[in-house]
Amino acid sequence: SDSESGSEDSSLSDSELQEAFSRGDLKPGLNVVLEERPKRRNDTNGLKQCLSEFKQQLPWVERLDVTLGQAVDPISQSASSKDGVDPENDFQREMSFYRQAQAAVLEALPRLRKLQVPTRRPDDYFAEMAKSDQQMQKIRQKLKSKQEAMERSEKAKQLRAMRKYGKKVQTEILQKRQKEKKNMLNAVKKYQKGLSDKLDFLDEEQTSSQGNKKGSGSQQIKKGPNAKRRYKNQKFGFGGKKKRSKWNTKESFNDVSSFRPSVAHNKGPGKAGKRGKKALNKRPGKRARQKMKNRAR
């Protein structure tokens, strides 16, 4: 029954195609008959015949073709076989190419010398450059600019690292000063409250300040005065000490040789009269005037 239905469908389709063809709906080019693909053949004889047709029988010096295996390895004293080279191993593959080229060179050089073909470049050999001088100049400038850019970036990295290190050192110094200040304030508070009777923090402060002064003095001594300072010292002298120059010392305090009692405390001749006149003309103080008023009452 299935075959009968299929035949009916095919007959119907054929009849429909005939009707469409009669109406002129079918046009040439809609149905294309595909040809079978030609089967590929390995025609060895034909290839050899073609090769013999365009092959030229030239001498070896014109062809310079050498087909050999790999050269003998001087370490292992054996030529590595073709099967022993792993094509996935880059080193072995490249080494096999190198050995094969080496064997070809060892075979071809004696034959070239026998044919009197020079194999060395002469000393005065001049070869034209593949690129012009202008192009090479551009390449040099580009390489130079790249190198300068790398140097600038390296210098900028060093400067950033130095700034970072300087900030770190400055932060550590500030933290150290704040810590010392905090410790000193705590010690002062304890001393004020009577919790401690030690004044060691004052000694530490003095010693630290003296140490800084000594350090700066030693640095100045090591450095020495500049030429301008030396010239002024030579011209005007060193000047000596200015601050605290009039302070008493133990020796000056005990030395009373210059003391004159007749002149001291305005008791000298001629000064008494003046002092007496001033005393006569001097107005009494407020408390003295109040007492005088009370007595008068």
Side-chain angles (χ1 to χ4, degrees), residues 239-249 252:
K241 190 176 180 182
K242 297 292 188 296
K243 287 187 176 181
R244 304 181 183 86
S245 60
K246 295 184 179 181
W247 280 21
N248 280 337
T249 60
S252 66

Side-chain angles (χ1 to χ4, degrees), residues 42-244:
N42 187 12
D43 191 1
T44 309
N45 296 326
L47 292 173
K48 287 181 178 179
Q49 184 179 355
C50 291
L51 180 64
S52 62
E53 288 177 358
F54 65 80
K55 184 178 179 181
Q56 296 180 356
Q57 299 295 333
L58 297 174
W60 180 83
V61 72
E62 297 291 339
R63 293 180 286 111
L64 297 178
D65 55 339
V66 179
T67 305
L68 290 172
Q70 298 182 17
V72 179
D73 191 356
I75 298 175
S76 61
Q77 295 296 328
S78 64
S80 59
S81 62
K82 185 178 179 182
D83 299 334
V85 178
D86 185 8
E88 299 297 330
N89 192 338
D90 295 341
F91 180 75
Q92 288 184 4
R93 187 175 65 249
E94 296 298 329
M95 184 56 68
S96 66
F97 293 157
Y98 171 74
R99 292 291 179 199
Q100 190 172 3
Q102 190 178 20
V105 169
L106 293 174
E107 176 70 20
L109 277 177
R111 294 174 68 178
L112 289 171
R113 288 170 186 163
K114 189 176 181 181
L115 295 170
Q116 296 181 356
V117 176
T119 57
R120 284 184 172 274
R121 180 180 293 178
D123 296 334
D124 57 348
Y125 179 78
F126 176 75
E128 188 177 356
M129 296 287 289
K131 294 184 179 180
S132 62
D133 293 340
Q134 291 81 3
Q135 183 70 16
M136 294 304 296
Q137 192 68 22
K138 288 180 182 178
I139 293 170
R140 288 193 197 95
Q141 290 177 359
K142 193 170 183 180
L143 291 173
K144 188 177 179 182
S145 62
K146 282 185 178 180
Q147 187 176 2
E148 289 176 354
M150 289 175 65
E151 289 177 357
R152 284 197 298 269
S153 66
E154 190 68 24
K155 195 176 289 184
K157 284 180 184 178
Q158 292 179 358
L159 286 173
R160 283 197 293 271
M162 288 174 66
R163 286 198 196 101
K164 192 174 181 181
Y165 180 73
K167 285 183 179 179
K168 184 180 178 182
V169 172
Q170 189 176 6
T171 306
E172 289 178 356
I173 291 171
L174 291 174
Q175 289 177 354
K176 186 178 178 182
R177 287 178 181 173
Q178 289 176 358
K179 187 176 180 181
E180 290 176 355
K181 185 178 179 181
K182 187 177 180 180
N183 293 337
M184 186 177 178
L185 290 174
N186 291 334
V188 170
K189 287 179 181 178
K190 286 181 181 180
Y191 181 77
Q192 288 176 349
K193 291 178 180 179
L195 300 175
S196 175
D197 56 348
K198 295 180 181 179
L199 296 174
D200 298 338
F201 57 90
L202 296 176
D203 297 338
E204 291 176 1
E205 188 70 21
Q206 289 177 359
T207 53
S208 64
S209 62
Q210 288 176 1
N212 292 334
K213 288 180 181 178
K214 286 180 181 177
S216 62
S218 63
Q219 289 175 1
Q220 289 177 0
I221 289 169
K222 286 180 182 177
K223 189 177 179 182
N226 55 12
K228 187 176 180 181
R229 182 73 266 167
R230 288 198 299 270
Y231 173 74
K232 287 191 175 182
N233 291 341
Q234 185 180 0
K235 185 176 180 181
F236 302 107
F238 291 93
K241 190 176 180 182
K242 297 292 188 296
K243 287 187 176 181
R244 304 181 183 86

